Amino acid sequence: MRVIVVGGAGYVGCELTKLLLKNDYKVTVYDLFIYGDNLKENKNLTKIKGDIRDKKKLEKIVTNYDVLIHLACISNDPSFDLNPELGKSINFDPFEHLVKISKGNGVKRFIYASSSSVYGIKEEENVNETFSLKPLTDYSKFKAMCEEILLKHNDKNFNCCIIRPATCCGYSDRQRLDLVVNILTNHGYNNKLIKVFGGSQMRPNINIKDMCNSYLHVMKSLEKNINGQIFNVGFENMPVIEIAKLVKKVLGGSINILQEKSDDLRSYHISSAKIKKILNFKNKFNIEDAILD
């Protein structure tokens, strides 16, 4: 089976590529490699340096793949807000063109990495895929708009599946330290001081190993179970202050936690029951594993 991972050199993409190769897929990674190339050479791996905004290059590259996994984006709200115009030009503007290229050039299955942040702030616990979308930021708004575009093109010959991940955590060969578990672990280990802004905000988390496993699981699933479907993928819903306390417990030693006020209202509490029920996907790793990694 031939798979192309757009954004395959990023935090999740790097680990997903390794997992796909381990499972004997022929993998093409299309990425700008702006954080370097952390992918080891492999006879089943093709690396192509390219920009998702380069329509002509994509038209040449995306041909006759069994699966396309779309991970490429400016990730998360703070990063997007650094340059909103740049973010839109990457996260939204080229999206429908890529979908049309994929559909027209024989891609059978298109898997899109959206975000659980599309739900906005919800009072209810265990927010599932039937809840209304009320994105609070441009980052999450464009994720929701891309979902709508993709489902419009879904049909029996072009299977589209949307994943709404929780916040990832854990180690990758292309490490990120701006994600909540990772940054708290970094500060706890290196500074012996963890600053928590707010603390009551709920954050659904998923270990990066399980995040990658979920994509592999969707790839292996029957068409009838994933075609036109949306799946939350998370595991532990935990307030930020509790994550900080868990980091302190796992690392041990003398680590101080300092709470400060925050105007960051983002709070999500998602249910991942659907992917477990329909696809029998089960998490194998938790936040503590991510901290240790």
Side-chain angles (χ1 to χ4, degrees):
M1 184 179 280
R2 298 180 68 228
V3 184
I4 181 167
V5 185
V6 181
Y11 174 63
V12 173
C14 195
E15 296 304 298
L16 176 59
T17 297
K18 290 197 298 184
L19 180 64
L20 294 175
L21 291 169
K22 186 178 178 181
N23 282 268
D24 296 323
Y25 291 97
K26 291 188 180 297
V27 183
T28 297
V29 167
Y30 184 87
D31 200 293
L32 272 175
F33 294 96
I34 58 175
Y35 296 102
D37 181 357
N38 297 296
L39 299 170
K40 294 179 180 178
E41 300 300 323
N42 185 295
K43 62 182 177 62
N44 288 327
L45 175 63
T46 301
K47 293 183 274 190
I48 300 173
K49 186 175 182 179
D51 194 318
I52 195 171
R53 295 166 292 182
D54 189 339
K55 294 180 179 180
K56 291 185 177 179
K57 190 165 189 173
L58 281 171
E59 287 169 1
K60 293 179 181 178
I61 299 301
V62 182
T63 55
N64 295 315
Y65 285 96
D66 296 291
V67 180
L68 183 145
I69 303 176
H70 184 359
L71 305 178
C73 69
I74 301 295
S75 293
N76 76 25
D77 297 315
S79 299
F80 190 98
D81 290 342
L82 290 173
N83 189 334
E85 288 186 11
L86 175 67
K88 181 176 181 289
S89 75
I90 292 171
N91 291 18
F92 180 72
D93 292 342
F95 183 77
E96 186 160 27
H97 186 73
L98 176 59
V99 173
K100 288 180 176 178
I101 291 170
S102 302
K103 189 173 185 177
N105 289 358
V107 172
K108 299 178 180 67
R109 191 168 290 195
F110 191 113
I111 302 171
Y112 175 54
S114 182
S115 168
S116 61
S117 66
V118 295
Y119 296 113
I121 300 173
K122 301 290 187 189
E123 295 298 325
E124 301 91 343
E125 291 189 0
N126 296 320
V127 173
N128 63 45
E129 294 84 351
T130 66
F131 276 62
S132 62
L133 305 187
K134 294 184 179 179
L136 298 174
T137 64
D138 282 347
Y139 168 78
S140 52
K141 180 181 75 175
F142 290 130
K143 286 289 188 184
M145 291 168 67
C146 286
E147 288 188 14
E148 189 176 338
I149 289 169
L150 182 59
L151 293 179
K152 182 179 68 176
H153 291 278
N154 181 72
D155 61 35
K156 64 179 183 179
N157 297 315
F158 185 61
N159 301 166
C160 299
C161 184
I162 293 164
I163 300 295
R164 291 177 180 160
T167 301
C168 280
C169 56
Y171 178 77
S172 166
D173 286 342
R174 207 308 265 174
Q175 184 61 19
R176 280 178 60 184
L177 294 172
D178 60 314
L179 301 162
V180 61
V181 172
N182 295 1
I183 196 169
L184 297 183
T185 303
N186 177 26
H187 287 179
Y189 185 84
N190 288 299
N191 302 333
K192 307 303 178 187
L193 173 64
I194 300 174
K195 288 184 180 181
V196 176
F197 296 92
S200 63
Q201 309 99 312
M202 294 296 294
R203 286 290 185 274
N205 289 275
I206 183 166
N207 191 299
I208 190 170
K209 293 175 181 176
D210 281 328
M211 187 73 252
C212 294
N213 284 333
S214 74
Y215 289 115
L216 181 63
H217 208 78
V218 169
M219 284 175 54
K220 291 181 174 181
S221 296
L222 296 173
E223 175 189 326
K224 66 177 182 178
N225 290 333
I226 64 98
N227 196 15
Q229 292 291 334
I230 299 171
F231 295 105
N232 291 339
V233 180
F235 186 34
E236 294 167 287
N237 294 282
M238 190 179 291
V240 175
I241 187 64
E242 295 303 320
I243 297 174
K245 290 176 181 177
L246 181 60
V247 169
K248 180 177 180 177
K249 176 186 172 184
V250 172
L251 295 181
S254 178
I255 296 173
N256 293 316
I257 298 175
L258 176 64
Q259 276 188 270
E260 297 185 357
K261 291 183 179 180
S262 173
D263 58 0
D264 182 357
L265 299 175
R266 294 174 302 141
S267 185
Y268 330 114
H269 189 162
I270 65 169
S271 166
S272 300
K274 180 181 176 181
I275 193 168
K276 182 177 181 180
K277 179 180 179 181
I278 295 179
L279 303 186
N280 195 32
F281 175 75
K282 299 174 183 177
N283 298 82
K284 297 178 180 178
F285 306 95
N286 58 25
I287 293 176
E288 187 168 333
D289 296 322
I291 295 167
L292 288 168
D293 286 346

